[in-house]
Amino acid sequence: MGTWGPGTFENDEASDWVYELEEAEDTTLLREALEVVAEPEGYIEAQDAAIALAAAEVVAALAGHPAPDLPEEVEAWVASHRRAPVRELVSLSIRAVDQILADSELNDQWAETADHVLWVDRVQELRSRLEG
């Protein structure tokens, strides 16, 4: 996975996923990305975790708590889907974030870097925005 920063969208997986989001007509893509991680059947792969964090950022934005550095494409998608039901997606997002922080390849990869604390802070800040 190519990564250029600790931000949710600062990696190849999340950036590529945004292209899929742009084509999505409803929140199914979000739900699918979150379910894989919120209810894992084993160790959470880095790719799945990165995509779930991106999906959680979209949910936070839909719930009225966007990150200040959302990509323009995500902002546009959120603006055109403001009426999407998000209550269930918020709780699913929180579970996904908790799983990623507890036991995931992505967390393990960041733990091997000098930016681990910064990455954890960003993920916890996302969780706080999801809680409203």
Side-chain angles (χ1 to χ4, degrees), residues 34 45 51 58 63-64 66 77 91-92 94-96 98 124 127:
L34 294 165
E45 301 285 331
I51 291 170
V58 175
W77 191 90
S91 63
L92 190 61
I94 291 170
R95 288 197 324 265
D98 289 346
Q124 289 176 334
R127 190 184 193 289

Side-chain angles (χ1 to χ4, degrees), residues 33-39 44 49 52-53 56 90-102 123:
L34 294 165
E35 285 176 344
V36 168
V37 174
E39 300 164 7
I44 301 168
L53 288 175
V90 167
S91 63
L92 190 61
S93 295
I94 291 170
R95 288 197 324 265
V97 168
D98 289 346
Q99 290 287 352
I100 291 165
L101 288 171
V123 175

Side-chain angles (χ1 to χ4, degrees), residues 8-120:
T8 300
F9 295 96
E10 294 180 322
N11 63 75
D12 290 337
E13 304 302 340
S15 292
D16 290 346
W17 181 82
V18 169
Y19 293 120
E20 291 181 53
L21 178 68
E22 288 180 289
E23 301 298 319
E25 295 182 17
D26 59 23
T27 59
T28 302
L29 184 69
L30 302 174
R31 178 178 307 287
E32 290 170 351
L34 294 165
E35 285 176 344
V36 168
V37 174
E39 300 164 7
E41 294 182 11
Y43 190 59
I44 301 168
E45 301 285 331
Q47 174 179 336
D48 292 336
I51 291 170
L53 288 175
E57 282 289 4
V58 175
V59 171
L62 285 169
H65 306 288
D69 59 351
L70 277 182
E72 290 178 17
E73 300 87 351
V74 174
E75 288 179 354
W77 191 90
V78 168
S80 66
H81 292 83
R82 284 270 181 229
R83 300 198 186 278
V86 294
R87 177 178 285 150
E88 185 181 329
L89 289 175
V90 167
S91 63
L92 190 61
S93 295
I94 291 170
R95 288 197 324 265
V97 168
D98 289 346
Q99 290 287 352
I100 291 165
L101 288 171
D103 188 29
S104 71
E105 182 182 23
L106 188 59
N107 187 33
D108 291 346
Q109 288 174 348
W110 277 105
E112 297 172 1
T113 73
D115 288 330
H116 184 241
V117 171
L118 180 58
W119 178 80
V120 169

